[in-house]
Amino acid sequence: MSLLRNAIPGLALLLLLTDPAVAATRPNVVFILTDNHGAWTLGCYGNQDIRTPNIDRLASEGMLFTRAMSSNPVCSPTRATFLTGLIPSQHGLHSFLDNKYMVGPEAYYTLKEFDTLPGILHSEGYVCGLSGKWHLGANMTPQDGFSYWITMVRGSTRSFYDDPIIQDGKIRKTPKYMTDLWTEHAIRFIEQNQGGEKPFFLYLAYNGPYGLGPLLLEPARNRHAAYYADKYLPSFPRDAVHPWQYNNKAYHNNIVSIRRVAAEVSAVDDGVGEVMAALKRLGLEENTIVIFAGDQGWMGGQNGLWGMGDHTRPIAAHDLMMQIPLIFRHPRGIKPGKTGIMVSNYDFLPSLLEYLGLKHRIPRKPKLPGRSFAAALRGRKIDWETRMFYEMEGCRSLRTEDWKYVARRQPDGPAELYDMADDPQERFNLYGQPQHASIQKEMAEELRRFFEEYADPQYDIWKGGRSKARRLLAPAGHPDYRPLRKQ
């Protein structure tokens, strides 16, 4: 009898949490994710050159994270981390996914063995829609409970006007400028689900601004091209090319490339404005959480670097390759303001689920490395230590409040140590200097312990594990090995 009595409260809680009426009271979620987008390109992060009034307004009405970081510099791994809360050494995507795994006989969904954000929300009564870039495999068919699905065939962007798309299970020619296309379908999904019995989750995954590829050698063609056509844009530093730069050399100090990036950023801003206007028009603004983020950081000339960590040799771990925009807006619950706590994209999933009242759905296996900052969204002070881990194949780093340690890269090094308080631009490598031996040893040990605790042996590259994506840098004898070519 006592066993039954003890079980009743737990059963009642379970019934309450799974009640459709309870699900219907939860807020809608709009998650806007951009591609290759450094926070520094936005007005709300201090940029005075690029016009982003809608994102800036979103930031003024919500919570802006001044130090949000990505745990990897490439799109497939970072998107996987946002959706699972896992690091690459757990979910297995260490680099960008090959096209053959997205469309064709070898296509498969790379996260099928994990609990994911859309999968969890769908099981909790949300209607889920994707408009934009997927790049996680099996792109032809909706995954993880998505009922609305329009996406790209490829992961990279060759053209915003001519790249093929996937709609209704078929490959089609893109009918318009891609940034506008994703916005149009995002609004269509919102309109279809306004006033429904279920809340909705919209994943609006732009493939812009995408500051990479040969398209940067061509002037912009969108509505902002004329405005930027005569602008110098000093927020893009003109500097000598860094000796580690491997790709993207043609875009350095190139005014065509610089103006193209600015125009694409402003086009994304237009989309954000249209989505926010649609929510207001439909009376959904108050009960919708809108999140704006970038998948990973991006550099546009700072320290003589252009792009992300995969575009250098050796693989790089610069802060600006990690720093992403991150904004949360929800008038009913989020206190507007800024927070300087350093968060990672692996903190995103547990934080959002807790904020939604779904803390009980935070996955327990594999063990998540992230922490929830949900209390900070509500304006509360939280005990938060600066401790952020990063990995890109054989490159691993630890960032604390005052120091950054980059482990000796597998297999050939080098290692780095920076005093981030005195050298925030990471120009003076202190690794190996006797006066810093203790901090170097301490951080090396902490980095080792972290991966010992969280890495899945089958995906732990430092211990001979594999990657679900083709290795960008693999040792001689490995199936993915490709000798470096000078560019």
Side-chain angles (χ1 to χ4, degrees):
M1 189 69 178
S2 62
L3 290 175
L4 178 61
R5 188 163 53 246
N6 291 334
I8 288 174
L11 178 62
L13 177 61
L14 177 63
L15 292 173
L16 178 66
L17 292 170
T18 56
D19 187 333
V22 174
T25 64
R26 291 200 175 101
N28 306 307
V29 180
V30 174
F31 178 30
I32 304 172
L33 188 67
T34 54
D35 199 5
N36 306 331
H37 193 183
W40 62 272
T41 63
L42 301 174
C44 52
Y45 284 90
N47 193 295
Q48 298 182 17
D49 299 334
I50 302 178
R51 299 191 296 184
T52 55
N54 298 299
I55 298 171
D56 297 346
R57 187 181 309 115
L58 187 73
S60 69
E61 297 171 350
M63 176 69 73
L64 180 144
F65 288 76
T66 61
R67 297 197 301 171
M69 314 292 271
S70 63
S71 55
N72 178 282
V74 184
C75 43
S76 293
T78 53
R79 288 159 193 264
T81 295
F82 270 113
L83 297 187
T84 65
L86 302 171
I87 58 173
S89 287
Q90 293 176 301
H91 58 58
L93 281 162
H94 287 272
S95 188
F96 49 83
L97 196 66
D98 294 41
N99 291 332
K100 66 180 180 180
Y101 298 127
M102 292 184 280
V103 175
E106 296 183 66
Y108 82 104
Y109 178 36
T110 55
L111 302 181
K112 60 184 177 181
E113 70 266 40
F114 302 116
D115 291 321
T116 67
L117 179 62
I120 292 168
L121 294 183
H122 175 69
S123 71
E124 292 290 337
Y126 278 76
V127 180
C128 300
L130 166 71
S131 177
K133 178 172 173 173
W134 183 236
H135 209 183
L136 293 171
N139 291 27
M140 292 295 293
T141 53
Q143 306 296 331
D144 275 349
F146 283 106
S147 56
Y148 194 104
W149 183 270
I150 179 170
T151 189
M152 299 170 63
V153 173
R154 290 192 290 266
S156 59
T157 297
R158 298 179 185 174
S159 168
F160 280 100
Y161 300 89
D162 302 312
D163 279 3
I165 63 166
I166 297 170
Q167 186 178 12
D168 300 326
K170 297 178 181 178
I171 297 176
R172 305 176 184 274
K173 182 179 179 181
T174 185
K176 59 173 60 178
Y177 176 50
M178 274 184 159
T179 300
D180 291 346
L181 178 70
W182 308 135
T183 302
E184 176 184 295
H185 279 272
I187 294 172
R188 185 177 302 175
F189 171 78
I190 292 171
E191 291 173 340
Q192 289 177 359
N193 291 281
Q194 60 162 318
E197 295 181 357
K198 297 181 177 182
F200 61 77
F201 168 64
L202 168 64
Y203 181 29
L204 172 53
Y206 287 111
N207 60 315
Y210 202 78
L212 303 172
L215 61 84
L216 291 188
L217 299 178
E218 303 172 3
R221 294 162 53 186
N222 67 25
R223 67 186 71 85
H224 295 279
Y227 172 79
Y228 289 113
D230 62 351
K231 301 298 185 296
Y232 180 73
L233 302 171
S235 59
F236 291 74
R238 276 60 162 187
D239 201 351
V241 177
H242 193 287
W244 285 10
Q245 188 78 59
Y246 179 68
N247 305 112
N248 308 334
K249 293 180 182 179
Y251 319 136
H252 277 271
N253 307 322
N254 186 330
I255 194 61
V256 173
S257 305
I258 290 168
R259 289 170 178 164
R260 178 67 187 260
V261 171
E264 300 299 348
V265 170
S266 289
V268 168
D269 183 78
D270 288 343
V272 172
E274 290 182 39
V275 169
M276 295 304 296
L279 292 171
K280 185 174 184 177
R281 169 173 54 85
L282 298 170
L284 300 172
E285 191 177 29
E286 291 294 310
N287 198 37
T288 300
I289 301 170
V290 178
I291 305 155
F292 180 87
D295 58 356
Q296 70 269 326
W298 179 86
M299 298 180 74
Q302 297 88 347
N303 278 15
L305 294 165
W306 186 289
M308 298 94 72
D310 60 317
H311 300 126
T312 64
R313 298 296 182 272
I315 297 294
H318 196 285
D319 261 20
L320 287 181
M321 295 171 173
M322 305 177 194
Q323 189 187 10
I324 56 173
L326 182 62
I327 303 165
F328 282 74
R329 180 190 185 275
H330 183 215
R332 289 189 179 179
I334 293 176
K335 183 178 180 181
K338 295 182 180 181
T339 177
I341 63 173
M342 183 176 287
V343 302
S344 171
N345 59 346
Y346 54 67
D347 299 316
F348 173 77
L349 181 131
S351 302
L352 179 58
L353 290 179
E354 181 175 347
Y355 182 83
L356 290 171
L358 295 171
K359 186 176 181 179
H360 63 291
R361 293 303 311 274
I362 297 174
R364 304 301 174 193
K365 292 184 179 180
K367 181 181 178 181
L368 301 189
R371 301 165 285 175
S372 172
F373 52 73
L377 295 174
R378 300 188 184 277
R380 302 173 193 157
K381 289 186 178 180
I382 60 175
D383 184 16
W384 192 273
E385 179 188 4
T386 299
R387 181 174 173 270
M388 204 285 289
F389 297 87
Y390 165 98
E391 64 171 326
M392 172 61 193
E393 295 189 350
C395 176
R396 290 176 173 176
S397 79
L398 166 60
R399 173 73 151 86
T400 64
E401 188 62 38
D402 295 326
W403 292 91
K404 175 184 281 184
Y405 170 71
V406 184
R408 187 166 182 82
R409 298 163 173 86
Q410 296 285 356
D412 301 319
E416 298 167 88
L417 181 70
Y418 296 102
D419 182 341
M420 300 302 291
D422 290 341
D423 179 26
Q425 294 184 328
E426 302 167 64
R427 291 181 178 270
F428 304 102
N429 184 4
L430 304 176
Y431 183 86
Q433 296 194 14
Q435 64 268 39
H436 303 302
S438 60
I439 187 68
Q440 181 177 308
K441 181 179 179 181
E442 178 183 324
M443 294 186 76
E445 178 60 20
E446 187 173 358
L447 190 70
R448 184 195 66 78
R449 286 197 306 265
F450 176 84
F451 284 96
E452 285 284 344
E453 181 175 0
Y454 293 105
D456 183 333
Q458 68 172 320
Y459 302 128
D460 189 345
I461 284 180
W462 276 51
K463 295 187 175 181
R466 67 183 181 92
S467 174
K468 291 178 179 176
R470 185 174 64 181
R471 291 273 297 275
L472 195 65
L473 285 180
H478 189 280
D480 291 339
Y481 173 72
R482 288 168 292 174
L484 293 180
R485 303 186 309 275
K486 289 186 177 180
Q487 296 193 355

Coordinates of all heavy atoms in Angstrom, one line a residue, residues 216 231-233 236-238 251-263 300 306:
L216 N 32.3 35.3 -53.0 CA 32.8 36.6 -52.4 C 33.6 37.4 -53.4 O 34.0 38.5 -53.1 CB 33.6 36.3 -51.2 CG 32.9 35.8 -49.9 CD1 33.9 35.7 -48.7 CD2 31.7 36.6 -49.6
K231 N 31.0 52.0 -49.9 CA 31.4 52.0 -48.5 C 32.7 51.4 -48.3 O 33.0 50.3 -48.8 CB 30.3 51.4 -47.6 CG 28.9 52.0 -47.7 CD 28.9 53.4 -47.3 CE 27.5 54.0 -47.3 NZ 26.8 54.1 -48.6
Y232 N 33.5 52.0 -47.4 CA 34.9 51.4 -47.1 C 34.8 50.3 -46.0 O 35.6 49.4 -46.0 CB 35.8 52.5 -46.6 CG 37.2 52.0 -46.3 CD1 38.1 51.7 -47.3 CD2 37.6 51.9 -45.0 CE1 39.3 51.2 -47.0 CE2 38.9 51.5 -44.7 CZ 39.7 51.1 -45.7 OH 41.0 50.7 -45.4
L233 N 33.9 50.4 -45.1 CA 33.6 49.4 -44.0 C 34.8 49.2 -43.2 O 35.4 48.1 -43.2 CB 33.1 48.1 -44.6 CG 31.8 48.3 -45.5 CD1 31.5 47.0 -46.2 CD2 30.6 48.7 -44.6
F236 N 36.1 45.9 -40.9 CA 36.9 44.8 -41.5 C 38.3 45.3 -41.5 O 38.7 46.1 -42.4 CB 36.4 44.5 -42.9 CG 35.0 43.9 -43.0 CD1 33.9 44.6 -42.8 CD2 34.9 42.5 -43.2 CE1 32.6 44.1 -42.9 CE2 33.6 41.9 -43.3 CZ 32.5 42.7 -43.1
P237 N 39.2 44.8 -40.6 CA 40.6 45.3 -40.6 C 41.3 44.9 -41.9 O 41.2 43.8 -42.4 CB 41.2 44.5 -39.4 CG 40.0 44.1 -38.5 CD 38.9 43.8 -39.5
R238 N 42.2 45.8 -42.3 CA 43.1 45.6 -43.4 C 44.4 45.3 -42.8 O 45.0 46.1 -42.2 CB 43.2 46.7 -44.4 CG 42.1 46.8 -45.4 CD 40.7 46.9 -44.9 NE 39.7 47.4 -45.9 CZ 38.5 47.7 -45.7 NH1 38.0 47.6 -44.5 NH2 37.7 48.1 -46.7
Y251 N 40.2 36.8 -50.4 CA 39.2 37.7 -49.9 C 39.8 38.7 -48.9 O 39.2 39.7 -48.5 CB 38.1 36.9 -49.1 CG 37.7 35.6 -49.8 CD1 37.6 34.4 -49.2 CD2 37.5 35.6 -51.2 CE1 37.2 33.2 -49.8 CE2 37.2 34.5 -51.9 CZ 37.0 33.3 -51.2 OH 36.7 32.1 -51.9
H252 N 41.1 38.5 -48.5 CA 41.7 39.4 -47.6 C 41.8 40.8 -48.2 O 42.3 40.9 -49.4 CB 43.1 38.9 -47.2 CG 43.1 37.9 -46.1 ND1 43.2 38.3 -44.8 CD2 43.0 36.6 -46.2 CE1 43.2 37.2 -44.1 NE2 43.1 36.1 -44.9
N253 N 41.4 41.8 -47.5 CA 41.6 43.2 -48.0 C 40.9 43.5 -49.3 O 41.2 44.4 -50.0 CB 43.1 43.6 -48.1 CG 43.8 43.3 -46.8 OD1 43.3 43.5 -45.7 ND2 45.1 42.9 -46.9
N254 N 40.0 42.6 -49.7 CA 39.3 42.7 -51.0 C 37.9 43.4 -50.7 O 37.0 42.9 -50.1 CB 39.0 41.3 -51.5 CG 38.4 41.3 -52.9 OD1 37.7 42.2 -53.3 ND2 38.8 40.3 -53.7
I255 N 37.8 44.6 -51.2 CA 36.6 45.4 -51.0 C 35.3 44.8 -51.5 O 34.2 44.9 -51.0 CB 36.8 46.9 -51.5 CG1 35.7 47.8 -50.9 CG2 36.8 46.9 -53.0 CD1 35.7 47.9 -49.4
V256 N 35.5 44.0 -52.6 CA 34.3 43.3 -53.2 C 33.8 42.3 -52.2 O 32.6 42.2 -51.9 CB 34.6 42.6 -54.5 CG1 33.5 41.8 -55.0 CG2 35.0 43.7 -55.6
S257 N 34.7 41.5 -51.6 CA 34.4 40.5 -50.6 C 33.8 41.1 -49.4 O 32.8 40.6 -48.8 CB 35.6 39.7 -50.2 OG 36.2 39.1 -51.4
I258 N 34.4 42.2 -48.9 CA 33.9 42.9 -47.7 C 32.5 43.4 -47.9 O 31.6 43.2 -47.0 CB 34.9 44.0 -47.3 CG1 36.2 43.4 -46.9 CG2 34.3 44.9 -46.3 CD1 37.4 44.4 -46.8
R259 N 32.3 44.1 -49.0 CA 30.9 44.6 -49.2 C 29.9 43.5 -49.4 O 28.7 43.6 -49.0 CB 31.0 45.5 -50.5 CG 31.7 46.8 -50.2 CD 31.9 47.6 -51.5 NE 32.6 48.9 -51.2 CZ 33.2 49.6 -52.1 NH1 33.3 49.2 -53.4 NH2 33.8 50.7 -51.8
R260 N 30.3 42.4 -50.0 CA 29.4 41.3 -50.2 C 28.9 40.7 -48.9 O 27.7 40.5 -48.6 CB 30.1 40.2 -51.0 CG 29.2 38.9 -51.2 CD 28.0 39.2 -52.1 NE 27.1 38.1 -52.3 CZ 27.1 37.3 -53.3 NH1 28.0 37.4 -54.3 NH2 26.2 36.3 -53.4
V261 N 29.9 40.5 -47.9 CA 29.5 40.1 -46.6 C 28.5 41.0 -45.9 O 27.5 40.6 -45.3 CB 30.8 39.9 -45.7 CG1 30.4 39.6 -44.3 CG2 31.6 38.7 -46.3
A262 N 28.8 42.3 -46.0 CA 27.9 43.3 -45.3 C 26.5 43.2 -45.9 O 25.5 43.3 -45.2 CB 28.5 44.7 -45.5
A263 N 26.4 43.1 -47.2 CA 25.1 43.0 -47.9 C 24.3 41.8 -47.4 O 23.1 41.8 -47.2 CB 25.2 43.1 -49.4
G300 N 37.0 38.4 -40.3 CA 37.0 39.1 -41.5 C 38.2 40.1 -41.6 O 38.0 41.2 -42.1
W306 N 40.9 35.3 -42.2 CA 39.6 35.3 -42.8 C 39.0 33.9 -42.7 O 39.5 33.0 -43.2 CB 39.7 35.8 -44.2 CG 38.4 36.0 -44.9 CD1 37.5 35.1 -45.3 CD2 37.8 37.3 -45.2 NE1 36.4 35.7 -45.8 CE2 36.5 37.1 -45.8 CE3 38.2 38.6 -45.1 CZ2 35.7 38.1 -46.3 CZ3 37.4 39.6 -45.6 CH2 36.2 39.4 -46.2

